[in-house]
Amino acid sequence: MASALKRGCRFIVITFVLLLAVAVAAGLWLWQGHRGFGDTPLDGVVAGSTVEVARGDAFPTVLRKLREHGVTQGSDLQWRLLARETDTASQLKVGEYALEPTLTPRELLKRMREGRTLQYRVTIVEGWNIRQLRAALRSATPLQQKTAQMSDAELMAALGHEGQHPEGRFLPETYVYTRSETDLDVLKRAYAAMEKTLDGVWQARAQDVPLQSAEEALILASIIEKETGIAEERPAIAGVFARRLKLGMPLQTDPTVIYGIGSSYDGNIRKRDLLTDTPYNTYTRKGLTPTPIAMPGADALKAAVNPADGNTLFFVAVGDGSGRHIFSATLAEHNAAVARYLVTRRETLRKAEAP
């Protein structure tokens, strides 16, 4: 009877060991399968597709969206376990996420936990006016539109700057945004960037600069921005304008006249345009224009408050298409430069039209 009891105990121990081995093997098999699932590139997604985590979405909702976007691999249980393992289930970040065939479930959930959303870009170009800026924002995709139907005055009020003219208030730069953001969000960042940059250059201004405020620096910088696209010329042009301001001479700059003409400008400045008085005609009025005429970049802002030394009071384009200018100290020198410009311009146009 004792031996039978021993045999029974041995049988139980062996059976337990076998069951334990099977359980361990099954566990290892399931674990390896889970690890393999988490680290295998997504199956069923199309390159370029995205999934959006909306505010209030729980992980089951996100998983349903993934299925709707073609993600077929892994059971729902595997996805939930992986979400817990990566600490994603309770830390989902709102936003749009790229779904690429090379991305693994583990990498995707990590992005969702860290908020590494898909980002887009819109660029404000140096020298743009407010109409061009607003047109660019309207065409930016997928930027949400909140200001498209607003007037300029309503736009500035929405930004918290009621009564301020919008021209020149937004720093030319490339701005990153997500699908959930609006054009107003981008404009707020661009406005803040201009305020910070303008404050910095104004604090670093030359002692004898003939400007009374940062606002005047912004206005002058916008004129400089429109006068040249050649970076190294900006301080020289700023020098001409600074000396004219000190002497009480009118600035006599064409871009301000063009701005005063507005949307009816057809590409040509005529004599009558130079003689027609508007608040922006610097041929008929001395001093700066009442507002900026464009969005100046950081280099134009720096030039406005740190103009180049010298005695030049005039400049005119070379006329060869390079965008460069000839600077003169006297009216006689300037008239000679204008004559050369006309000859060079005619020759350049003749060559361009030649077969």
Side-chain angles (χ1 to χ4, degrees):
M1 183 173 179
S3 64
L5 183 60
K6 288 181 179 178
R7 285 195 299 274
C9 288
R10 267 197 308 273
F11 176 76
I12 291 172
V13 170
I14 292 171
T15 300
F16 174 76
V17 170
L18 287 173
L19 289 174
L20 180 61
V22 170
V24 169
L28 287 173
W29 180 78
L30 289 172
W31 175 248
Q32 290 297 327
H34 175 68
R35 297 291 295 183
F37 149 72
D39 297 323
T40 301
L42 293 174
D43 181 39
V45 301
V46 178
S49 59
T50 65
V51 63
E52 186 171 3
V53 177
R55 194 171 303 280
D57 278 358
F59 186 73
T61 303
V62 174
L63 181 56
R64 175 179 56 78
K65 290 181 178 181
L66 288 174
R67 297 302 191 197
E68 292 171 353
H69 282 77
V71 177
T72 58
Q73 73 194 73
S75 66
D76 288 2
L77 176 60
Q78 285 178 308
W79 277 97
R80 288 197 294 270
L81 289 173
L82 186 60
R84 289 184 181 180
E85 179 189 330
T86 57
D87 199 24
T88 302
S90 61
Q91 298 192 53
L92 284 168
K93 301 295 190 302
V94 172
E96 182 186 18
Y97 296 88
L99 294 178
E100 297 294 340
T102 57
L103 196 65
T104 68
R106 189 182 307 280
E107 291 169 339
L108 175 59
L109 293 184
K110 184 179 179 182
R111 289 185 181 185
M112 290 181 172
R113 184 191 71 211
E114 296 175 351
R116 291 159 56 191
T117 57
L118 196 60
Q119 296 183 323
Y120 303 88
R121 288 170 172 78
V122 61
T123 299
I124 300 176
V125 178
E126 294 175 347
W128 270 2
N129 60 35
I130 188 62
R131 293 192 305 275
Q132 292 169 306
L133 167 56
R134 298 193 66 179
L137 291 178
R138 282 194 296 271
S139 63
T141 304
L143 188 64
Q144 295 185 35
Q145 302 295 316
K146 290 187 77 172
T147 70
Q149 302 305 316
M150 293 181 183
S151 66
D152 286 349
E154 290 169 336
L155 168 64
M156 296 308 292
L159 289 170
H161 304 285
E162 187 173 3
Q164 189 177 61
H165 197 283
E167 200 67 82
R169 304 293 170 182
F170 307 96
L171 187 69
E173 202 172 278
T174 295
Y175 294 90
V176 174
Y177 65 91
T178 63
R179 182 179 287 273
S180 62
E181 291 186 289
T182 70
D183 52 356
L184 199 60
D185 294 323
V186 173
L187 287 171
K188 285 179 180 178
R189 291 202 294 274
Y191 187 98
M194 177 59 85
E195 288 278 281
K196 181 179 179 180
T197 302
L198 179 58
D199 180 66
V201 299
W202 181 246
Q203 297 303 322
R205 68 190 182 278
Q207 292 298 313
D208 61 343
V209 68
L211 302 170
Q212 302 304 311
S213 64
E215 177 71 14
E216 290 190 356
L218 181 62
I219 293 172
L220 182 57
S222 73
I223 298 172
I224 294 168
E225 188 68 73
K226 294 300 291 183
E227 276 290 4
T228 183
I230 309 298
E232 60 267 26
E233 282 193 349
R234 289 179 182 135
I237 287 177
V240 169
F241 289 147
R243 285 183 284 278
R244 281 179 168 256
L245 288 172
K246 288 178 180 179
L247 293 170
M249 295 175 63
L251 296 184
Q252 295 183 320
T253 169
D254 291 354
T256 63
V257 176
I258 293 170
Y259 190 82
I261 295 172
S263 58
S264 61
Y265 175 64
D266 63 3
N268 293 307
I269 297 180
R270 299 167 178 83
K271 185 176 181 180
R272 68 171 181 269
D273 297 321
L274 300 179
L275 297 176
T276 300
D277 184 52
T278 76
Y280 292 90
N281 190 337
T282 53
Y283 285 83
T284 61
R285 300 192 183 195
K286 295 179 181 180
L288 297 169
T289 52
T291 72
I293 63 169
M295 311 295 167
D299 288 343
L301 289 165
K302 292 174 184 175
V305 298
N306 288 282
D309 291 330
N311 62 349
T312 56
L313 291 170
F314 307 88
F315 61 88
V316 66
V318 174
D320 59 356
S322 68
R324 295 187 175 277
H325 295 83
I326 298 173
F327 295 83
S328 305
T330 68
L331 182 58
E333 291 174 352
H334 176 62
N335 288 337
V338 170
R340 289 195 299 273
Y341 158 78
L342 293 173
V343 171
T344 303
R345 180 64 175 164
R346 283 195 293 269
E347 182 63 19
T348 300
L349 290 175
R350 186 188 63 79
K351 289 180 179 179
E353 294 172 356

